[in-house]
Amino acid sequence: VTELRSTPCTEEEGGQFVPTLITFESGGGEDGIDAVALHGGLMATAWGFVLPLGVLSSRFLRHRPGGLWFILHRVLNILGVVLTIIGIIVAFASFGNVFSDGAGQSYQHGVMGLTTMSLGILQALNGILRPHHTPKEDEQKDKKRVVWELFHKCTGYGTIALAYATIYYGAQVAGSKKKDTFMGVFYATFAFAGVVAIAMIGDKFFLYKNDDVDKKDRTTQGLEVSNCSQKDNVDVKDAKA
């Protein structure tokens, strides 16, 4: 029988968490996972990599056929929310009440984290309840759809920005031994978002460029066929004459 046991995490002077183990006790012995590392890893993965990738796909992959951007956007958002919920459960089970003192970086990180999580879940629900309206080529979007898209995009971008700030504050309270590691992860999230955005923009640029070349080739071939047809018609008329 395996038993999951978590010891509430205390705080060092300056608002930094003392490393605490979530222990797994069984007949074969006892193993542990650092609660701070587990919580930070889940949240950094969700809000530093998975969810920003979902946002970037909706922004830069709409040119791809088959609704690829929407598939990625939906799958990545669901995965990000699931990781977030697990991370919050780990935090409440391991760190005690960080809101009791009403001050300090741990309190700020907790408030920002709960706000970010709430907005993330609301974004997912907002996406499910979106107005379904697909306008035809010459038809304008419904006003409700326009308002919803503006709200959804602005809230999404704002939530991601708040998440970056939350990750930064989390690194400050992760403990002296983990701060450098989490700050490295924090900077890596920006590098990741930048590289992915550049790659997606490049994909869009080269795809459009290739489409333009194909269109020019098709136009040239069409003109050549048309000229050949006209020439053949002239030759036939001359032959009849």
Side-chain angles (χ1 to χ4, degrees), residues 200-211:
M200 289 182 177
I201 293 172
D203 174 76
K204 184 176 182 179
F205 172 77
F206 286 113
L207 184 66
Y208 281 163
K209 186 176 181 180
N210 291 334
D211 284 346

Side-chain angles (χ1 to χ4, degrees), residues 14 19 24 52 62 70 80 84 97 100-101 103 105 112-113 118 127 134 161 170 187 193 210 218 220 222 230-231:
F24 299 86
R62 290 177 180 264
F70 181 74
T84 299
N97 185 9
S100 58
D101 59 355
Q105 288 184 323
M112 293 170 69
S118 301
T134 305
Y187 293 127
N210 291 334
R218 288 194 296 269
T220 303
Q230 291 177 1
K231 184 177 180 181

Side-chain angles (χ1 to χ4, degrees), residues 131 141-149:
K141 290 183 179 179
D142 182 73
K143 289 184 178 180
K144 292 182 179 179
R145 178 73 184 193
V146 173
V147 171
W148 175 85
E149 286 185 2

Side-chain angles (χ1 to χ4, degrees), residues 174-196:
S176 57
K177 293 182 179 180
K178 295 184 180 65
K179 180 178 178 179
D180 291 341
T181 300
F182 277 113
M183 284 303 297
V185 173
F186 173 73
Y187 293 127
T189 59
F190 280 99
F192 172 79
V195 170
V196 171

Side-chain angles (χ1 to χ4, degrees), residues 58-181:
S58 69
R59 178 66 180 85
F60 296 116
L61 289 182
R62 290 177 180 264
H63 61 284
R64 280 292 177 179
L68 176 63
W69 74 268
F70 181 74
I71 296 172
L72 289 174
H73 186 66
R74 180 171 56 185
V75 171
L76 291 170
N77 279 348
I78 292 174
L79 176 59
V81 169
V82 170
L83 292 175
T84 299
I85 292 174
I86 298 173
I88 286 291
I89 292 173
V90 171
F92 278 119
S94 305
F95 305 147
N97 185 9
V98 299
F99 307 103
S100 58
D101 59 355
Q105 288 184 323
S106 60
Y107 171 80
Q108 294 170 352
H109 175 69
V111 171
M112 293 170 69
L114 284 178
T115 304
T116 302
M117 185 200 72
S118 301
L119 289 173
I121 293 175
L122 287 175
Q123 274 292 89
L125 294 175
N126 185 28
I128 295 173
L129 300 175
R130 67 189 181 279
H132 293 276
H133 177 71
T134 305
K136 298 178 181 178
E137 292 184 1
D138 298 332
E139 185 181 2
Q140 292 184 345
K141 290 183 179 179
D142 182 73
K143 289 184 178 180
K144 292 182 179 179
R145 178 73 184 193
V146 173
V147 171
W148 175 85
E149 286 185 2
L150 181 62
F151 175 79
H152 190 66
K153 290 177 181 178
C154 291
T155 306
Y157 296 147
T159 304
I160 292 296
L162 179 60
Y164 282 125
T166 306
I167 294 173
Y168 175 82
Y169 271 97
Q172 306 308 306
V173 299
S176 57
K177 293 182 179 180
K178 295 184 180 65
K179 180 178 178 179
D180 291 341
T181 300

